[in-house]
Amino acid sequence: MDIHDTGESDTGVAESSRPLDFVRAIVKEDLRINKNAGRVATRFPPEPNGYLHIGHAKAICLDFGIAAEFGGTCNLRYDDTNPAKEDVEYVDSIQEDVRWLGFDWGDRLYYASDYFDRLYECAVQLVQMGKAYVDSLSAEEIRDHRGTLTEPGRESPFRDRPAAENLDLFERMRAGEFEDGTHVLRAKIDMASPNLNMRDPTLYRIRRATHHRTGDRWCIYPMYDFAHSLSDSFEGITHSICTLEFEDHRPLYDWFQETLRLKSRSQQIEFARLSLNYTVMSKRKLLQLVQEGRVKGWDDPRMPTICGLRRRGYTPESIRNFCERIGVAKRDNVVDVALLEHSLREDLNLRAPRVMGVLRPVKLVIDNYPEDRVEELEAVNNPEDPSAGTRRVPFSKELLIEREDFSENPPKKFFRLAPGRTVRLRYAYLVTCVGITKDDKGEIAEIHCQYDPASLTGDSAGSPKAKATLHWVSARHAVPAEVRLYDRLFSIENPANEAEGKDFKSYLNPNSLEIVRSCRVEPGLAAANPGERYQFERLGYFCVDPDSRPGVPVFNRTVTLRDAWAKIVQRGAQ
Ligand code: ATP
Ligand code: MG
């Protein structure tokens, strides 16, 4: 994978210096020549059969983004034509996620199921025109007749049924006279077409399934291609932007609108879907992970779903910035998840308040600090944002620091605390290690230090220079917290590539979640609210999880502080 290939912009230069991607270039040109009477209307057409993921975010940013930039509108339309797999749970989540991403469809919320009557009428019209017929071959026989990429298909023996007979059968299909699978309605196009989609595609099939909106009113349901092309026209969509796999469907998309002489014609434009490494992006696969309990749900913070990313602590801004960065192109590529994390750090760095929390604490006792004294020391909330102000953090004789910030026999290049060494405690004093005590298991129980009272505001003549600054909490004041550390959900870059017959789930990373219950955080976090984001100094960005209980906040580690993307770019530049 070429890590610098984060997308390409094919054509055009905007008034601003940012080059236009090829979709925007098309829209801009259409506006220039006054195509569609200067109107720009797009739509985002999810099928409510799962939760939205980061790939959908790319489509959403494009559909809604283009509408906003060119003074147009963007509809939210559910492609709810397959009731067996759809659910209101998904319908609701999709709206929540699109809104959270920062987009608004106003009063333009539509459902393909709202058009079932019109779609049926259009199908009848095709039958009357001799452009559609009822086929009574079985599904298997139809597949058999379809041919291959190298061989033409064969015509069904039912292809030349007279229009009246087709009409009668189609009506009776609708009326529920036939079993599921006994008949379908097919377009009559060309069984010898080199494009398989044009070989008499199915328009309607019989399926007795209760629809989440139309209930049991219908027992025949339209196929996606038919419903989608017509819905676009019904809504006056001008630019129907979709992913590359629909490129071969475009002749059919056009055929429906042309053949039915629909007044409003839309142009289908295809772009490359987003793929990210170390994850899967198919709703079918994500559903499997949920159903088999491999993750805790659609919103598990390891999932690439919008709700998973949200729970993990992602901001809508970071996702939108990421989508802008990867750009829009015609060529499939895999984007490095490090770029997504880079966009996130960039955003959180500016907005996340800094706090101190210790994941795996060990006690640090300041021998020369008065027993009962508590100082409220001033700490900066966000060095990137002076308006975020400061807060007070209690400091006392007994502190907790990170166990790994102390080494009894420090290896080379270990600059943190060790016997005889001096370090700075963040926002506090210089301390020098004067001894340790151990428990019966030989583990360090206490680190004893002397502090330099003159060192609070800076270097002090009385102490050596510190080579490290450590975060800490006051043992007596700190609040217990649970921290959930996440790693990649899969241990290989492309788990969806099921080569060698291996199931993608065999690549799940067994260490993708580590729960740390020993954590202690500064007292101000006791009342932290779910969704709040913080930087734990030196540890990373964390987000309060809805599982938090009063007095025991639960934090998800959103992302570590180390920026792999910056390193990748740096390496590439050398
Ligand atoms: P499936 O996962 O079953 O293939 P889907 O991802 O295509 O389904 P839809 O609900 O049909 O799910 O998608 C809605 C819109 O989002 C479509 O226009 C689709 O092209 C777009 N989309 C889906 N996945 C991606 C992706 N990875 N990158 C960009 N756009 C996507
Ligand atoms: Mg789809």
Side-chain angles (χ1 to χ4, degrees):
M1 184 188 63
D2 177 1
I3 47 171
H4 302 290
D5 185 12
T6 58
E8 61 190 351
S9 305
D10 291 351
T11 44
V13 174
E15 275 78 30
S16 77
S17 60
R18 214 181 86 218
L20 285 188
D21 59 64
F22 80 100
V23 184
R24 287 176 169 86
I26 292 172
V27 173
K28 190 178 174 200
E29 174 62 11
D30 287 349
L31 279 175
R32 195 187 63 80
I33 62 175
N34 205 32
K35 191 174 165 185
N36 307 307
R39 242 170 17 91
V40 174
T42 62
R43 85 287 168 269
F44 173 64
E47 186 183 349
N49 61 353
Y51 282 68
L52 298 181
H53 51 59
I54 181 78
H56 293 114
K58 176 178 178 178
I60 291 167
C61 288
L62 192 59
D63 293 325
F64 282 92
I66 284 184
E69 288 157 39
F70 293 94
T73 54
C74 180
N75 299 354
L76 176 60
R77 182 207 313 140
Y78 290 103
D79 258 314
D80 54 347
T81 51
N82 187 5
K85 293 193 170 164
E86 295 162 7
D87 198 288
V88 277
E89 177 192 351
Y90 303 135
V91 170
D92 296 342
S93 76
I94 287 168
Q95 290 180 50
E96 186 183 352
D97 290 348
V98 174
R99 238 183 240 122
W100 179 77
L101 278 172
F103 298 103
D104 185 9
W105 52 90
D107 57 358
R108 293 176 309 279
L109 176 63
Y110 300 107
Y111 295 82
S113 56
D114 288 343
Y115 310 134
F116 280 172
D117 286 303
R118 284 172 85 181
L119 292 169
Y120 180 81
E121 280 162 33
C122 286
V124 166
Q125 228 178 303
L126 287 175
V127 172
Q128 286 165 337
M129 295 163 85
K131 298 285 187 188
Y133 62 98
V134 172
D135 197 349
S136 310
L137 291 180
S138 68
E140 206 186 315
E141 288 167 322
I142 290 179
R143 220 173 302 127
D144 232 44
H145 278 66
R146 159 126 6 116
T148 63
L149 283 174
T150 48
E151 279 169 55
R154 282 174 294 132
E155 293 183 355
S156 162
F158 301 101
R159 196 173 196 261
D160 291 317
R161 271 176 168 152
E165 187 181 330
N166 283 319
L167 267 185
D168 173 61
L169 284 170
F170 188 43
E171 262 162 38
R172 289 163 59 196
M173 277 170 67
R174 178 192 186 165
E177 285 189 29
F178 307 117
E179 300 273 306
D180 287 19
T182 50
H183 306 281
V184 292
L185 184 74
R186 297 177 72 178
K188 193 170 180 177
I189 308 180
D190 179 6
M191 288 306 290
S193 169
N195 183 340
L196 268 72
N197 295 301
M198 300 300 274
R199 293 184 188 171
D200 292 10
T202 301
L203 305 182
Y204 269 90
R205 66 212 152 131
I206 307 172
R207 175 160 295 187
R208 285 174 176 76
T210 304
H211 189 281
H212 58 99
R213 300 194 84 230
T214 58
D216 294 319
R217 210 152 67 75
W218 295 87
C219 65
I220 57 171
Y221 289 98
M223 299 301 286
Y224 177 83
D225 282 327
F226 178 65
H228 186 246
S229 171
L230 268 56
S231 303
D232 277 351
S233 173
F234 295 161
E235 291 173 17
I237 301 302
T238 57
H239 299 85
S240 179
I241 305 164
C242 63
T243 35
L244 274 186
E245 72 271 21
F246 291 104
E247 197 163 25
D248 291 343
H249 297 237
R250 192 186 335 130
L252 180 58
Y253 180 94
D254 290 337
W255 186 91
F256 289 129
Q257 297 191 2
E258 250 164 52
T259 308
L260 285 159
R261 297 194 195 90
L262 297 181
K263 268 211 292 287
S264 176
R265 298 286 304 275
S266 41
Q267 179 185 0
Q268 178 178 302
I269 305 169
E270 310 87 11
F271 69 96
R273 61 172 49 227
L274 166 66
S275 307
L276 267 189
N277 59 7
Y278 296 103
T279 193
V280 292
M281 211 90 93
S282 126
K283 280 191 277 192
R284 189 178 54 81
K285 291 198 169 78
L286 295 173
L287 179 64
Q288 265 185 60
L289 295 177
V290 173
Q291 285 181 333
E292 295 178 17
R294 308 296 186 117
V295 293
K296 286 193 197 146
W298 285 98
D299 69 345
D300 187 302
R302 292 166 292 181
M303 292 278 272
T305 48
I306 305 293
C307 55
L309 295 170
R310 175 165 66 231
R311 186 163 181 179
R312 173 99 170 227
Y314 272 78
T315 59
E317 290 83 356
S318 64
I319 295 175
R320 294 203 303 264
N321 281 338
F322 167 75
C323 289
E324 193 169 310
R325 276 206 169 101
I326 57 175
V328 181
K330 268 267 185 204
R331 187 154 45 88
D332 274 318
N333 68 348
V334 180
V335 174
D336 198 322
V337 67
L339 180 61
L340 178 62
E341 294 177 343
H342 174 76
S343 300
L344 176 64
R345 281 190 194 92
E346 217 175 46
D347 188 35
L348 290 178
N349 179 43
L350 298 177
R351 67 165 80 209
R354 274 55 168 173
V355 294
M356 291 194 284
V358 178
L359 289 187
R360 298 175 182 87
V362 63
K363 196 176 260 184
L364 185 153
V365 183
I366 305 176
D367 293 339
N368 60 337
Y369 196 85
E371 200 70 42
D372 297 322
R373 182 147 162 217
V374 178
E375 281 180 273
E376 297 283 335
L377 301 181
E378 185 174 42
V380 173
N381 284 335
N382 187 349
E384 303 291 326
D385 176 12
S387 75
T390 60
R391 69 188 183 287
R392 298 274 165 186
V393 189
F395 183 90
S396 65
K397 184 181 179 76
E398 294 197 352
L399 307 174
L400 300 171
I401 65 164
E402 214 67 64
R403 197 166 271 278
E404 65 170 39
D405 279 339
F406 180 83
S407 174
E408 197 179 353
N409 300 298
K412 257 195 180 160
K413 295 201 173 168
F414 184 94
F415 299 116
R416 292 165 277 168
L417 196 58
R421 251 221 220 132
T422 300
V423 295
R424 159 81 54 193
L425 295 176
R426 186 79 161 137
Y427 305 120
Y429 300 96
L430 292 171
V431 292
T432 304
C433 175
V434 294
I436 54 173
T437 61
K438 294 193 175 177
D439 62 18
D440 350 325
K441 286 187 231 116
E443 295 270 349
I444 294 172
E446 288 179 351
I447 301 166
H448 287 265
C449 290
Q450 296 274 334
Y451 89 118
D452 177 352
S455 64
L456 183 57
T457 51
D459 285 342
S460 155
S463 295
K465 260 199 167 4
K467 283 205 175 130
T469 300
L470 306 187
H471 60 275
W472 52 272
V473 290
S474 165
R476 185 141 62 88
H477 302 92
V479 175
E482 177 182 320
V483 165
R484 299 174 182 171
L485 305 175
Y486 300 103
D487 196 354
R488 291 173 171 144
L489 188 50
F490 291 92
S491 37
I492 65 164
E493 282 211 29
N494 185 3
N497 183 7
E498 287 153 311
E500 302 147 30
K502 267 189 138 182
D503 181 70
F504 76 100
K505 285 171 300 204
S506 63
Y507 301 116
L508 278 164
N509 173 6
N511 304 315
S512 59
L513 168 62
E514 184 190 352
I515 299 180
V516 184
R517 295 205 167 83
S518 56
C519 188
R520 294 288 183 280
V521 297
E522 56 177 79
L525 291 176
N529 294 309
E532 285 176 5
R533 306 178 185 92
Y534 296 95
Q535 185 196 97
F536 284 15
E537 295 216 23
R538 300 179 62 230
L539 295 179
Y541 294 98
F542 292 75
C543 181
V544 184
D545 192 84
D547 284 348
S548 297
R549 299 171 301 282
V552 188
V554 176
F555 292 92
N556 295 311
R557 184 174 66 195
T558 312
V559 68
T560 55
L561 294 178
R562 196 176 48 89
D563 191 341
W565 182 255
K567 286 220 178 88
I568 289 167
V569 172
Q570 208 175 28
R571 235 185 292 141
Q574 278 166 2

